[in-house]
Amino acid sequence: MMAGSRNIAVLGAGLMGHGIALTFARAGHGVRVYDPSSAGLDSLQGRVSSSLGAMGADTREIDETLARLAPDPEVATCVADADFVFEAAPEKPDLKRALFREVERFAPSGAILASNTSVIPITTIVSDLEDKTRALGTHWWNPPHMIPLVEVIRTEWTAETAIEETVGLLSSVGKTPVRVEKDVAGFIGNRLQHAMWREAIYLVESGVCTAEAVDQVVNASFGRRLSVLGPLANADLVGTDLTLDIHENVLADLDNRPSPSPYLRDLVKAGKLGMKSGEGFMSWTPEAMEEVRQRVATHLRRLETILPD
């Protein structure tokens, strides 16, 4: 094991958990992975191997990474020697709270405890812990082994040292950690993303355009520059005065309902669940779904080689 390596425990071997485990094991850290599903643990190394292959790793690197991974069917043994614990359980607050209570019983007193959740406030998840100072959020993005960003979320109890150590660890494995200083639902990224999704759904619901047109507009316009020019830098580029003029004319017309779109509710009620059912906002064949997955993976690999952290 590499000098300076840490013992990492990942709770959950699913889509997010396997990618988080892959990231640390690939960087030279020892990783134990817990999951209540034996099927999830049995398939872990195969899925990690497949993901590494898609990232361009050679056979030697894959073998070395897999050698650092240890599936574990028990929480107690998974976290017993951990320096960092990353929870990647399903998005159910009660489940996460119960899991953290169990982790606190068995993890070393100095271990940092992190929850990977997309939108649930971290305060809700760690409120039962006796020592809340070492608990925080780390929101990884899917696929976690390919997307650089990890949002590091502070609660009212989190010690600054826990934030700094987590930021340092994530930086050392090639991630781009961003500090979120206030624990709000959705953190930074998902608040921005779903604000856009709400308006996108409204445009389709209102008959302004098709779902395909929405995506074409994003892909062929501002989506092309977002990787190198964020929204507020772009606002400064065009000028805050022009930004104000635009907002004076458009904001009042944007969707601002505080609840989900009825159109979205109807899709779910009808069983149109997106790619998992073959139809959502658009229709999906198996071939079309695979083409999207391959296109995203190819794009992310290309960005890794041309964009700075």
Side-chain angles (χ1 to χ4, degrees), residues 33-117:
V33 182
Y34 160 78
D35 198 285
S37 165
S38 58
L41 291 181
D42 291 343
S43 65
L44 174 64
Q45 293 209 341
R47 287 181 286 123
V48 168
S49 178
S50 177
S51 294
L52 283 168
M55 297 170 71
D58 59 26
T59 301
R60 179 180 177 180
E61 184 177 12
I62 292 173
D63 289 344
E64 290 176 346
T65 300
L66 294 180
R68 300 185 189 105
L69 282 175
D72 196 319
E74 301 293 337
V75 172
T77 51
C78 181
V79 305
D81 298 318
D83 298 305
F84 289 84
V85 178
F86 292 91
E87 169 269 312
E91 292 285 83
K92 298 179 180 179
D94 290 343
L95 172 63
K96 290 179 181 285
R97 275 196 297 270
L99 192 54
F100 269 97
R101 287 195 298 268
E102 188 174 4
V103 167
E104 189 171 42
R105 289 176 55 201
F106 299 110
S109 60
I112 292 175
L113 312 182
S115 175
N116 174 63
T117 174

Side-chain angles (χ1 to χ4, degrees), residues 16 20 84-87 112-118 122 136-141 150-153 166-167 170 187:
M16 299 301 293
I20 294 171
F84 289 84
V85 178
F86 292 91
E87 169 269 312
I112 292 175
L113 312 182
S115 175
N116 174 63
T117 174
S118 298
I122 307 303
L136 45 75
T138 51
H139 175 217
W140 300 62
W141 287 72
V150 182
E151 294 171 289
V152 181
I153 303 103
T166 303
V167 166
L170 293 168
F187 319 126

Side-chain angles (χ1 to χ4, degrees), residues 23-305:
T23 299
F24 287 116
R26 190 184 191 193
H29 300 284
V31 183
R32 301 190 71 85
V33 182
Y34 160 78
D35 198 285
S37 165
S38 58
L41 291 181
D42 291 343
S43 65
L44 174 64
Q45 293 209 341
R47 287 181 286 123
V48 168
S49 178
S50 177
S51 294
L52 283 168
M55 297 170 71
D58 59 26
T59 301
R60 179 180 177 180
E61 184 177 12
I62 292 173
D63 289 344
E64 290 176 346
T65 300
L66 294 180
R68 300 185 189 105
L69 282 175
D72 196 319
E74 301 293 337
V75 172
T77 51
C78 181
V79 305
D81 298 318
D83 298 305
F84 289 84
V85 178
F86 292 91
E87 169 269 312
E91 292 285 83
K92 298 179 180 179
D94 290 343
L95 172 63
K96 290 179 181 285
R97 275 196 297 270
L99 192 54
F100 269 97
R101 287 195 298 268
E102 188 174 4
V103 167
E104 189 171 42
R105 289 176 55 201
F106 299 110
S109 60
I112 292 175
L113 312 182
S115 175
N116 174 63
T117 174
S118 298
V119 294
I120 304 170
I122 307 303
T123 301
T124 301
I125 296 170
V126 305
S127 58
D128 293 340
L129 296 181
E130 291 185 10
D131 181 7
K132 302 179 184 65
T133 63
R134 59 178 174 150
L136 45 75
T138 51
H139 175 217
W140 300 62
W141 287 72
N142 184 36
H145 47 289
M146 298 185 78
I147 299 292
L149 178 67
V150 182
E151 294 171 289
V152 181
I153 303 103
R154 179 196 298 277
T155 74
E156 61 183 288
W157 309 293
T158 308
E160 174 63 20
T161 53
I163 296 284
E164 291 176 353
E165 287 187 40
T166 303
V167 166
L169 175 70
L170 293 168
S171 296
S172 74
V173 299
K175 291 301 173 183
T176 303
V178 171
R179 296 170 59 125
V180 182
E181 302 292 355
K182 188 174 182 180
D183 185 21
V184 294
F187 319 126
I188 301 171
N190 265 322
R191 291 175 79 97
L192 294 171
Q193 178 173 240
H194 286 276
M196 183 175 70
W197 287 18
R198 176 171 65 179
E199 186 60 27
I201 295 169
Y202 178 73
L203 290 169
V204 176
E205 175 186 344
S206 302
V208 174
C209 60
T210 64
E212 290 81 359
V214 168
D215 283 8
Q216 286 174 336
V217 166
V218 174
N219 292 340
S221 63
F222 63 85
R224 296 202 170 196
R225 64 180 178 233
L226 279 175
S227 291
V228 294
L229 185 68
L232 296 185
N234 193 20
D236 275 349
L237 177 66
V238 302
T240 55
D241 51 345
L242 176 56
T243 300
L244 176 60
D245 288 342
I246 292 171
H247 283 195
E248 295 280 14
N249 285 280
V250 74
L251 289 188
D253 201 47
L254 298 181
D255 183 25
N256 62 359
R257 290 171 294 190
S259 58
S261 159
Y263 182 75
L264 177 59
R265 291 190 187 277
D266 288 344
L267 286 178
V268 174
K269 185 177 180 180
K272 297 179 179 180
L273 306 179
M275 291 189 183
K276 68 179 70 176
S277 67
E279 184 178 2
F281 292 103
M282 308 174 197
S283 296
W284 298 96
T285 63
E287 295 76 17
M289 288 185 273
E290 181 59 24
E291 189 277 331
V292 167
R293 295 187 183 101
Q294 291 300 322
R295 176 154 42 92
V296 171
T298 299
H299 177 67
L300 292 177
R301 285 199 303 270
R302 183 176 64 84
L303 288 180
E304 282 185 335
T305 65

